[in-house]
Amino acid sequence: MKAFLSYSLSDTQEYVVTIMARQLREKGYTLMTHTGTPLGLNLLSTTLRGCSLFIGVITRRSNEYDRVVNEYNQADAWQIPALLLFERSLAHNVGVLDHPNVVVFDRHNPNSALEHVQNRIAWARSPETKSDDTGAWILGGAALLALIALLSGKK
């Protein structure tokens, strides 16, 4: 299985990508990452369509937020299970926040985001749940919990 990690982090936060890559490899994923110049639609299509999970991460010191949001929207349009993590200080002007697979977190008070993710994982695992969004939470929910913990310094 392949997971695509699209991120916009400050240089001092890029260690998170290394940790996430290791954790995803332990779960049997090959990690595809992207940062920098936006991929052309053909290359993005080729790269994303082979993935079974997309995780996007945008922190307050990011400078490529539009690229990550565009890649998230593309993954969602192609029905790839997709989750997007936003740091609260960025979230006030973003239209994508209405999507149920977008999680807003506050690094200084991560408990509400951690609880939200745990609730969404439980919801996705419920036999009564019938939604296209369950795959994202079952496959990527634990990764979001780890990302929130790492970015907030919570063990």
Side-chain angles (χ1 to χ4, degrees), residues 18-29 142-143 146-147 150:
T18 303
I19 294 169
M20 283 308 307
R22 185 185 55 210
Q23 290 178 348
L24 287 167
R25 272 194 305 272
E26 289 170 0
K27 294 185 185 306
Y29 284 94
L147 280 166
L150 285 167

mmCIF file with all atom_site columns, all heavy atoms in Angstrom, residues 18-29 142-143 146-147 150:
data_model
loop_
_atom_site.group_PDB
_atom_site.id
_atom_site.type_symbol
_atom_site.label_atom_id
_atom_site.label_alt_id
_atom_site.label_comp_id
_atom_site.label_asym_id
_atom_site.label_entity_id
_atom_site.label_seq_id
_atom_site.pdbx_PDB_ins_code
_atom_site.Cartn_x
_atom_site.Cartn_y
_atom_site.Cartn_z
_atom_site.occupancy
_atom_site.B_iso_or_equiv
_atom_site.pdbx_formal_charge
_atom_site.auth_seq_id
_atom_site.auth_comp_id
_atom_site.auth_asym_id
_atom_site.auth_atom_id
_atom_site.pdbx_PDB_model_num
ATOM 1   N N   . THR A 1 18  ? 10.011 12.466 8.791  1.00 0.00 ? 18  THR A N   1
ATOM 2   C CA  . THR A 1 18  ? 10.848 11.281 9.004  1.00 0.00 ? 18  THR A CA  1
ATOM 3   C C   . THR A 1 18  ? 10.167 10.309 9.967  1.00 0.00 ? 18  THR A C   1
ATOM 4   O O   . THR A 1 18  ? 10.123 9.097  9.724  1.00 0.00 ? 18  THR A O   1
ATOM 5   C CB  . THR A 1 18  ? 12.227 11.693 9.559  1.00 0.00 ? 18  THR A CB  1
ATOM 6   O OG1 . THR A 1 18  ? 12.820 12.618 8.650  1.00 0.00 ? 18  THR A OG1 1
ATOM 7   C CG2 . THR A 1 18  ? 13.133 10.492 9.740  1.00 0.00 ? 18  THR A CG2 1
ATOM 8   N N   . ILE A 1 19  ? 9.618  10.843 11.029 1.00 0.00 ? 19  ILE A N   1
ATOM 9   C CA  . ILE A 1 19  ? 8.938  10.000 12.018 1.00 0.00 ? 19  ILE A CA  1
ATOM 10  C C   . ILE A 1 19  ? 7.688  9.368  11.407 1.00 0.00 ? 19  ILE A C   1
ATOM 11  O O   . ILE A 1 19  ? 7.429  8.176  11.592 1.00 0.00 ? 19  ILE A O   1
ATOM 12  C CB  . ILE A 1 19  ? 8.613  10.807 13.287 1.00 0.00 ? 19  ILE A CB  1
ATOM 13  C CG1 . ILE A 1 19  ? 9.912  11.216 13.985 1.00 0.00 ? 19  ILE A CG1 1
ATOM 14  C CG2 . ILE A 1 19  ? 7.718  10.014 14.233 1.00 0.00 ? 19  ILE A CG2 1
ATOM 15  C CD1 . ILE A 1 19  ? 9.744  12.230 15.101 1.00 0.00 ? 19  ILE A CD1 1
ATOM 16  N N   . MET A 1 20  ? 6.919  10.160 10.663 1.00 0.00 ? 20  MET A N   1
ATOM 17  C CA  . MET A 1 20  ? 5.715  9.627  10.022 1.00 0.00 ? 20  MET A CA  1
ATOM 18  C C   . MET A 1 20  ? 6.066  8.546  9.008  1.00 0.00 ? 20  MET A C   1
ATOM 19  O O   . MET A 1 20  ? 5.381  7.538  8.917  1.00 0.00 ? 20  MET A O   1
ATOM 20  C CB  . MET A 1 20  ? 4.925  10.740 9.331  1.00 0.00 ? 20  MET A CB  1
ATOM 21  C CG  . MET A 1 20  ? 4.108  11.611 10.251 1.00 0.00 ? 20  MET A CG  1
ATOM 22  S SD  . MET A 1 20  ? 3.006  10.712 11.364 1.00 0.00 ? 20  MET A SD  1
ATOM 23  C CE  . MET A 1 20  ? 2.089  9.690  10.268 1.00 0.00 ? 20  MET A CE  1
ATOM 24  N N   . ALA A 1 21  ? 7.123  8.755  8.251  1.00 0.00 ? 21  ALA A N   1
ATOM 25  C CA  . ALA A 1 21  ? 7.540  7.753  7.265  1.00 0.00 ? 21  ALA A CA  1
ATOM 26  C C   . ALA A 1 21  ? 7.849  6.430  7.960  1.00 0.00 ? 21  ALA A C   1
ATOM 27  O O   . ALA A 1 21  ? 7.419  5.369  7.497  1.00 0.00 ? 21  ALA A O   1
ATOM 28  C CB  . ALA A 1 21  ? 8.760  8.251  6.500  1.00 0.00 ? 21  ALA A CB  1
ATOM 29  N N   . ARG A 1 22  ? 8.571  6.500  9.069  1.00 0.00 ? 22  ARG A N   1
ATOM 30  C CA  . ARG A 1 22  ? 8.895  5.276  9.805  1.00 0.00 ? 22  ARG A CA  1
ATOM 31  C C   . ARG A 1 22  ? 7.629  4.596  10.319 1.00 0.00 ? 22  ARG A C   1
ATOM 32  O O   . ARG A 1 22  ? 7.460  3.381  10.173 1.00 0.00 ? 22  ARG A O   1
ATOM 33  C CB  . ARG A 1 22  ? 9.836  5.607  10.969 1.00 0.00 ? 22  ARG A CB  1
ATOM 34  C CG  . ARG A 1 22  ? 10.298 4.347  11.708 1.00 0.00 ? 22  ARG A CG  1
ATOM 35  C CD  . ARG A 1 22  ? 11.115 4.661  12.925 1.00 0.00 ? 22  ARG A CD  1
ATOM 36  N NE  . ARG A 1 22  ? 10.292 5.561  13.734 1.00 0.00 ? 22  ARG A NE  1
ATOM 37  C CZ  . ARG A 1 22  ? 10.748 6.497  14.541 1.00 0.00 ? 22  ARG A CZ  1
ATOM 38  N NH1 . ARG A 1 22  ? 12.008 6.684  14.685 1.00 0.00 ? 22  ARG A NH1 1
ATOM 39  N NH2 . ARG A 1 22  ? 9.949  7.273  15.217 1.00 0.00 ? 22  ARG A NH2 1
ATOM 40  N N   . GLN A 1 23  ? 6.713  5.376  10.898 1.00 0.00 ? 23  GLN A N   1
ATOM 41  C CA  . GLN A 1 23  ? 5.486  4.790  11.439 1.00 0.00 ? 23  GLN A CA  1
ATOM 42  C C   . GLN A 1 23  ? 4.617  4.186  10.341 1.00 0.00 ? 23  GLN A C   1
ATOM 43  O O   . GLN A 1 23  ? 4.042  3.112  10.531 1.00 0.00 ? 23  GLN A O   1
ATOM 44  C CB  . GLN A 1 23  ? 4.706  5.842  12.232 1.00 0.00 ? 23  GLN A CB  1
ATOM 45  C CG  . GLN A 1 23  ? 5.385  6.218  13.522 1.00 0.00 ? 23  GLN A CG  1
ATOM 46  C CD  . GLN A 1 23  ? 4.642  7.300  14.286 1.00 0.00 ? 23  GLN A CD  1
ATOM 47  O OE1 . GLN A 1 23  ? 3.720  7.944  13.770 1.00 0.00 ? 23  GLN A OE1 1
ATOM 48  N NE2 . GLN A 1 23  ? 5.043  7.513  15.517 1.00 0.00 ? 23  GLN A NE2 1
ATOM 49  N N   . LEU A 1 24  ? 4.525  4.850  9.207  1.00 0.00 ? 24  LEU A N   1
ATOM 50  C CA  . LEU A 1 24  ? 3.729  4.307  8.112  1.00 0.00 ? 24  LEU A CA  1
ATOM 51  C C   . LEU A 1 24  ? 4.375  3.054  7.519  1.00 0.00 ? 24  LEU A C   1
ATOM 52  O O   . LEU A 1 24  ? 3.678  2.100  7.168  1.00 0.00 ? 24  LEU A O   1
ATOM 53  C CB  . LEU A 1 24  ? 3.495  5.373  7.035  1.00 0.00 ? 24  LEU A CB  1
ATOM 54  C CG  . LEU A 1 24  ? 2.503  6.470  7.432  1.00 0.00 ? 24  LEU A CG  1
ATOM 55  C CD1 . LEU A 1 24  ? 2.574  7.643  6.461  1.00 0.00 ? 24  LEU A CD1 1
ATOM 56  C CD2 . LEU A 1 24  ? 1.079  5.933  7.505  1.00 0.00 ? 24  LEU A CD2 1
ATOM 57  N N   . ARG A 1 25  ? 5.702  3.047  7.419  1.00 0.00 ? 25  ARG A N   1
ATOM 58  C CA  . ARG A 1 25  ? 6.396  1.835  6.945  1.00 0.00 ? 25  ARG A CA  1
ATOM 59  C C   . ARG A 1 25  ? 6.118  0.659  7.873  1.00 0.00 ? 25  ARG A C   1
ATOM 60  O O   . ARG A 1 25  ? 5.915  -0.471 7.421  1.00 0.00 ? 25  ARG A O   1
ATOM 61  C CB  . ARG A 1 25  ? 7.899  2.076  6.837  1.00 0.00 ? 25  ARG A CB  1
ATOM 62  C CG  . ARG A 1 25  ? 8.329  2.644  5.509  1.00 0.00 ? 25  ARG A CG  1
ATOM 63  C CD  . ARG A 1 25  ? 9.837  2.557  5.292  1.00 0.00 ? 25  ARG A CD  1
ATOM 64  N NE  . ARG A 1 25  ? 10.598 3.187  6.366  1.00 0.00 ? 25  ARG A NE  1
ATOM 65  C CZ  . ARG A 1 25  ? 10.938 4.467  6.407  1.00 0.00 ? 25  ARG A CZ  1
ATOM 66  N NH1 . ARG A 1 25  ? 10.585 5.267  5.429  1.00 0.00 ? 25  ARG A NH1 1
ATOM 67  N NH2 . ARG A 1 25  ? 11.629 4.953  7.412  1.00 0.00 ? 25  ARG A NH2 1
ATOM 68  N N   . GLU A 1 26  ? 6.086  0.920  9.182  1.00 0.00 ? 26  GLU A N   1
ATOM 69  C CA  . GLU A 1 26  ? 5.795  -0.142 10.150 1.00 0.00 ? 26  GLU A CA  1
ATOM 70  C C   . GLU A 1 26  ? 4.391  -0.706 9.959  1.00 0.00 ? 26  GLU A C   1
ATOM 71  O O   . GLU A 1 26  ? 4.126  -1.847 10.309 1.00 0.00 ? 26  GLU A O   1
ATOM 72  C CB  . GLU A 1 26  ? 5.966  0.382  11.579 1.00 0.00 ? 26  GLU A CB  1
ATOM 73  C CG  . GLU A 1 26  ? 7.413  0.629  11.965 1.00 0.00 ? 26  GLU A CG  1
ATOM 74  C CD  . GLU A 1 26  ? 7.570  1.368  13.287 1.00 0.00 ? 26  GLU A CD  1
ATOM 75  O OE1 . GLU A 1 26  ? 6.548  1.716  13.934 1.00 0.00 ? 26  GLU A OE1 1
ATOM 76  O OE2 . GLU A 1 26  ? 8.729  1.617  13.678 1.00 0.00 ? 26  GLU A OE2 1
ATOM 77  N N   . LYS A 1 27  ? 3.499  0.084  9.404  1.00 0.00 ? 27  LYS A N   1
ATOM 78  C CA  . LYS A 1 27  ? 2.131  -0.367 9.144  1.00 0.00 ? 27  LYS A CA  1
ATOM 79  C C   . LYS A 1 27  ? 1.973  -0.935 7.731  1.00 0.00 ? 27  LYS A C   1
ATOM 80  O O   . LYS A 1 27  ? 0.865  -1.214 7.290  1.00 0.00 ? 27  LYS A O   1
ATOM 81  C CB  . LYS A 1 27  ? 1.151  0.780  9.362  1.00 0.00 ? 27  LYS A CB  1
ATOM 82  C CG  . LYS A 1 27  ? 1.085  1.242  10.808 1.00 0.00 ? 27  LYS A CG  1
ATOM 83  C CD  . LYS A 1 27  ? 0.013  2.291  10.970 1.00 0.00 ? 27  LYS A CD  1
ATOM 84  C CE  . LYS A 1 27  ? -0.029 2.875  12.357 1.00 0.00 ? 27  LYS A CE  1
ATOM 85  N NZ  . LYS A 1 27  ? -0.146 1.972  13.439 1.00 0.00 ? 27  LYS A NZ  1
ATOM 86  N N   . GLY A 1 28  ? 3.086  -1.055 7.001  1.00 0.00 ? 28  GLY A N   1
ATOM 87  C CA  . GLY A 1 28  ? 3.047  -1.665 5.682  1.00 0.00 ? 28  GLY A CA  1
ATOM 88  C C   . GLY A 1 28  ? 2.889  -0.698 4.524  1.00 0.00 ? 28  GLY A C   1
ATOM 89  O O   . GLY A 1 28  ? 2.680  -1.125 3.385  1.00 0.00 ? 28  GLY A O   1
ATOM 90  N N   . TYR A 1 29  ? 2.999  0.602  4.766  1.00 0.00 ? 29  TYR A N   1
ATOM 91  C CA  . TYR A 1 29  ? 2.864  1.589  3.705  1.00 0.00 ? 29  TYR A CA  1
ATOM 92  C C   . TYR A 1 29  ? 4.222  1.957  3.127  1.00 0.00 ? 29  TYR A C   1
ATOM 93  O O   . TYR A 1 29  ? 5.220  1.995  3.829  1.00 0.00 ? 29  TYR A O   1
ATOM 94  C CB  . TYR A 1 29  ? 2.234  2.890  4.231  1.00 0.00 ? 29  TYR A CB  1
ATOM 95  C CG  . TYR A 1 29  ? 0.759  2.801  4.468  1.00 0.00 ? 29  TYR A CG  1
ATOM 96  C CD1 . TYR A 1 29  ? 0.261  2.486  5.727  1.00 0.00 ? 29  TYR A CD1 1
ATOM 97  C CD2 . TYR A 1 29  ? -0.146 3.037  3.442  1.00 0.00 ? 29  TYR A CD2 1
ATOM 98  C CE1 . TYR A 1 29  ? -1.093 2.405  5.956  1.00 0.00 ? 29  TYR A CE1 1
ATOM 99  C CE2 . TYR A 1 29  ? -1.503 2.953  3.661  1.00 0.00 ? 29  TYR A CE2 1
ATOM 100 C CZ  . TYR A 1 29  ? -1.975 2.639  4.918  1.00 0.00 ? 29  TYR A CZ  1
ATOM 101 O OH  . TYR A 1 29  ? -3.315 2.563  5.139  1.00 0.00 ? 29  TYR A OH  1
ATOM 102 N N   . ALA A 1 142 ? -4.871 7.004  13.032 1.00 0.00 ? 142 ALA A N   1
ATOM 103 C CA  . ALA A 1 142 ? -3.738 6.856  13.960 1.00 0.00 ? 142 ALA A CA  1
ATOM 104 C C   . ALA A 1 142 ? -2.577 7.766  13.555 1.00 0.00 ? 142 ALA A C   1
ATOM 105 O O   . ALA A 1 142 ? -1.892 8.332  14.416 1.00 0.00 ? 142 ALA A O   1
ATOM 106 C CB  . ALA A 1 142 ? -3.280 5.403  14.022 1.00 0.00 ? 142 ALA A CB  1
ATOM 107 N N   . ALA A 1 143 ? -2.383 7.946  12.249 1.00 0.00 ? 143 ALA A N   1
ATOM 108 C CA  . ALA A 1 143 ? -1.315 8.843  11.782 1.00 0.00 ? 143 ALA A CA  1
ATOM 109 C C   . ALA A 1 143 ? -1.610 10.283 12.193 1.00 0.00 ? 143 ALA A C   1
ATOM 110 O O   . ALA A 1 143 ? -0.703 11.013 12.597 1.00 0.00 ? 143 ALA A O   1
ATOM 111 C CB  . ALA A 1 143 ? -1.159 8.737  10.270 1.00 0.00 ? 143 ALA A CB  1
ATOM 112 N N   . ALA A 1 146 ? -0.780 10.747 15.816 1.00 0.00 ? 146 ALA A N   1
ATOM 113 C CA  . ALA A 1 146 ? 0.673  10.862 15.994 1.00 0.00 ? 146 ALA A CA  1
ATOM 114 C C   . ALA A 1 146 ? 1.178  12.230 15.552 1.00 0.00 ? 146 ALA A C   1
ATOM 115 O O   . ALA A 1 146 ? 2.016  12.832 16.229 1.00 0.00 ? 146 ALA A O   1
ATOM 116 C CB  . ALA A 1 146 ? 1.386  9.756  15.211 1.00 0.00 ? 146 ALA A CB  1
ATOM 117 N N   . LEU A 1 147 ? 0.666  12.740 14.436 1.00 0.00 ? 147 LEU A N   1
ATOM 118 C CA  . LEU A 1 147 ? 1.085  14.053 13.953 1.00 0.00 ? 147 LEU A CA  1
ATOM 119 C C   . LEU A 1 147 ? 0.726  15.160 14.943 1.00 0.00 ? 147 LEU A C   1
ATOM 120 O O   . LEU A 1 147 ? 1.547  16.038 15.227 1.00 0.00 ? 147 LEU A O   1
ATOM 121 C CB  . LEU A 1 147 ? 0.438  14.368 12.600 1.00 0.00 ? 147 LEU A CB  1
ATOM 122 C CG  . LEU A 1 147 ? 1.089  13.734 11.391 1.00 0.00 ? 147 LEU A CG  1
ATOM 123 C CD1 . LEU A 1 147 ? 0.170  13.839 10.182 1.00 0.00 ? 147 LEU A CD1 1
ATOM 124 C CD2 . LEU A 1 147 ? 2.424  14.383 11.108 1.00 0.00 ? 147 LEU A CD2 1
ATOM 125 N N   . LEU A 1 150 ? 3.074  14.886 17.902 1.00 0.00 ? 150 LEU A N   1
ATOM 126 C CA  . LEU A 1 150 ? 4.427  15.337 17.559 1.00 0.00 ? 150 LEU A CA  1
ATOM 127 C C   . LEU A 1 150 ? 4.516  16.853 17.447 1.00 0.00 ? 150 LEU A C   1
ATOM 128 O O   . LEU A 1 150 ? 5.424  17.479 17.976 1.00 0.00 ? 150 LEU A O   1
ATOM 129 C CB  . LEU A 1 150 ? 4.881  14.710 16.241 1.00 0.00 ? 150 LEU A CB  1
ATOM 130 C CG  . LEU A 1 150 ? 5.274  13.251 16.273 1.00 0.00 ? 150 LEU A CG  1
ATOM 131 C CD1 . LEU A 1 150 ? 5.397  12.711 14.856 1.00 0.00 ? 150 LEU A CD1 1
ATOM 132 C CD2 . LEU A 1 150 ? 6.577  13.079 17.033 1.00 0.00 ? 150 LEU A CD2 1
#
